[in-house]
Amino acid sequence: MTAERQPAAVSAGELAERYARVRATSLALAAPLSAEDCQVQSMPDASPVKWHLAHVTWFFETFVLERFEHGFAPFDPAFRVLFNSYYQAVGEQSARAQRGLILRPTLEGVRAYRAAIDARMAALLRARGEEPEVAALVTLGLHHEQQHQELLLTDIKHALSIDPSHAPFARRWPIARVQPAALRWFGFEGGLVEHGHDAALDGPFCFDNETPRHHSHLGPFEIASRPVSHGDWLGFIDDGGYRRPELWLSLGWDWVRAGRRTAPLYWQQRDGRWFSHTLQGLVEIDPLTPACHLSFYEADAYARWAGARLPTEVEWEFAARSVHSGAGHFADRGVFHPMPASQDAAARPVQMFGDVWEWTGSAYLPYPRFRPWPGAVGEYNGKFMCNQFVLRGGSCATPAGHVRASYRNFFPPEAQWQFSGLRLARDA
């Protein structure tokens, strides 16, 4: 990490406390699962829980201990390949689609690996935690682990959806009935705006793909007061949304036909009623909650059906900065499902952060003058800037405090297993 991208200085004690807290959260998320649950890989895009727990540990061993620990020796030389995700500069990786076939180490072996690396990291942080390079890489590693905490939830949700019992991961379901929120529009004049990470607004840490801050021009636009809801989506289905090629991009229509799709991922109809697989099991759809597990193709088709469009990521960020927190629901609620708005949208848009990641119409590309981080960690974001679209705002599976207005998530247009939804926009 370059000097201008390093986080603000914190004490070694504060960094060690945060390290322990984030690492404990990962284990707590895995605690309700059996060893068999943690082994399964339900599709190539998803990874086993066991692999997630090991990979984030590999990150600290490979990028921090190997560089800064005196007398470093690997915990197990085989782990360098087994738990490397995509870092070509580090060496070989095991095949992504075969992570579920990694039988050794066992789950208990992975827990032992975590404990050993945590002990060594604790010693390193006591000795060198205030050194800027150490602090920067550890901070990056903690944000990386938080990303994998969200992936752990989305990946196990997909795996449990295939099990005929729809076994629940969590049992807390505090969704209360609320008044339906009419969709409103909020206008913005646009003009020449600053875009990208600003430490004064977003906090000291960011990923390299959020930089550098730069100017963009916006035309006048309007953005919807809330995300599209499950009830809204039912209207799209009832109006033949999945049967009307004029609503879809060409590749999107091919995707619909190839998968014979008639509804979003996890939806199923029983006796004329719609149900959805959730991390609480199979439940009837609540029409007032934000729609989720939508591909970019679906989001784009819905926006066209609604006579609107997806916001650009510049529009989204500009609007999000006007709403302050835009309070939504994050993983700390323990619900792991988007919830109805807890705020009135009369004055400003709501739920721009949390509940569902919101697709934008922007391709995931580098900002002007973008430079990836030097070294192997430079592979973190930049090499994926092709054939993907940007999502903003975080979800109900995102750790609280992890996202910010400048945060750029990205997935290919066919991806559905993340908590991805949409918010409409239109020209003013």
Side-chain angles (χ1 to χ4, degrees):
M1 297 177 69
T2 57
E4 68 270 22
R5 294 173 185 161
Q6 291 176 0
V10 297
S11 70
E14 291 172 324
L15 188 58
E17 287 177 8
R18 182 157 188 262
Y19 177 90
R21 185 169 61 252
V22 171
R23 297 282 285 167
T25 297
S26 298
L27 292 178
L29 289 173
L33 301 169
S34 68
E36 291 81 3
D37 294 334
C38 293
Q39 182 68 42
V40 69
Q41 181 178 17
S42 55
M43 65 170 177
D45 284 338
S47 298
V49 169
K50 186 179 79 173
W51 188 90
H52 284 300
L53 294 175
H55 167 70
V56 292
T57 306
W58 170 94
F59 189 99
F60 287 110
E61 181 183 27
T62 303
F63 292 119
V64 181
L65 291 178
E66 185 173 318
R67 181 174 174 185
F68 297 106
E69 182 185 48
H70 179 70
F72 170 83
F75 178 88
D76 185 324
F79 289 7
R80 189 175 182 86
V81 174
L82 286 179
F83 301 121
N84 180 4
S85 54
Y86 50 72
Y87 294 92
Q88 302 292 335
V90 173
E92 295 182 7
Q93 311 95 40
S94 58
R96 178 174 181 174
Q98 297 179 358
R99 289 171 182 171
L101 301 179
I102 300 174
L103 302 180
R104 301 290 187 277
T106 64
L107 179 60
E108 287 307 307
V110 168
R111 290 180 182 275
Y113 176 42
R114 287 180 66 93
I117 296 303
D118 285 349
R120 292 164 63 178
M121 284 293 300
L124 179 72
L125 290 173
R126 284 194 298 270
R128 305 185 62 177
E130 294 188 11
E131 295 181 20
E133 285 187 292
V134 173
L137 281 170
V138 171
T139 300
L140 173 63
L142 294 177
H143 284 273
H144 168 258
E145 181 143 353
Q146 287 185 311
Q147 290 179 317
H148 278 271
Q149 289 168 3
E150 180 162 5
L151 288 169
L152 184 157
L153 290 168
T154 56
D155 292 358
I156 195 61
K157 179 174 182 176
H158 189 270
L160 293 174
S161 76
I162 296 172
D163 186 280
S165 70
H166 292 279
F169 169 84
R171 298 186 182 276
R172 187 162 176 257
W173 190 253
I175 294 183
R177 290 292 174 184
V178 298
Q179 289 294 111
L183 189 141
R184 299 184 176 94
W185 292 94
F186 291 90
F188 297 88
E189 293 183 1
L192 189 64
V193 302
E194 284 194 292
H195 179 61
H197 180 259
D198 183 332
L201 298 172
D202 301 310
F205 176 82
C206 71
F207 292 111
D208 57 1
N209 66 355
E210 301 170 53
T211 64
R213 192 160 172 81
H214 58 283
H215 286 93
S216 296
H217 186 271
L218 287 179
F221 71 98
E222 295 180 327
I223 200 163
S225 56
R226 57 167 175 78
V228 168
S229 69
H230 282 95
D232 296 331
W233 202 266
L234 285 171
F236 176 72
I237 292 174
D238 290 344
D239 196 39
Y242 286 90
R243 303 190 303 272
R244 296 171 55 182
E246 73 273 15
L247 298 176
W248 297 81
L249 296 169
S250 178
L251 290 176
W253 185 242
D254 291 344
W255 175 84
V256 169
R257 291 193 299 171
R260 298 182 178 179
R261 292 176 170 89
T262 60
L265 181 67
Y266 301 138
W267 285 41
Q268 56 181 272
Q269 200 169 25
R270 296 185 175 186
D271 299 323
R273 297 157 61 195
W274 283 104
F275 292 79
S276 178
H277 171 79
T278 73
L279 281 167
Q280 288 78 13
L282 193 68
V283 302
E284 190 167 2
I285 285 170
D286 185 327
L288 304 183
T289 56
C292 60
H293 300 296
L294 306 174
S295 70
F296 172 84
Y297 295 137
E298 289 170 296
D300 178 79
Y302 180 93
R304 193 171 290 109
W305 173 79
R309 58 175 174 81
L310 299 177
T312 68
E313 66 168 318
V314 182
E315 289 172 336
W316 191 98
E317 183 177 315
F318 185 73
R321 293 196 186 282
S322 74
V323 303
H324 307 293
S325 67
H329 307 98
F330 290 94
D332 60 311
R333 295 291 188 96
V335 180
F336 311 126
H337 188 77
M339 297 175 67
S342 56
Q343 290 182 336
D344 180 42
R348 60 176 66 91
V350 297
Q351 294 180 290
M352 294 199 75
F353 297 92
D355 289 295
V356 291
W357 287 101
E358 298 181 6
W359 285 107
T360 72
S362 296
Y364 178 52
L365 295 171
Y367 287 162
R369 301 177 182 270
F370 167 76
R371 295 291 184 274
W373 287 324
V377 293
E379 297 185 58
Y380 200 97
N381 287 306
K383 70 180 185 180
F384 298 108
M385 292 175 173
C386 179
N387 297 337
Q388 315 224 42
F389 285 85
V390 174
L391 303 95
R392 294 297 194 113
S395 81
C396 57
T398 305
H402 178 65
V403 293
R404 51 203 161 267
S406 60
Y407 194 110
R408 305 175 79 197
N409 200 355
F410 53 93
F411 280 101
E414 68 275 10
Q416 291 178 288
W417 90 109
Q418 295 301 307
F419 285 94
S420 47
L422 75 147
R423 182 184 302 263
L424 298 174
R426 63 188 184 188
D427 298 334

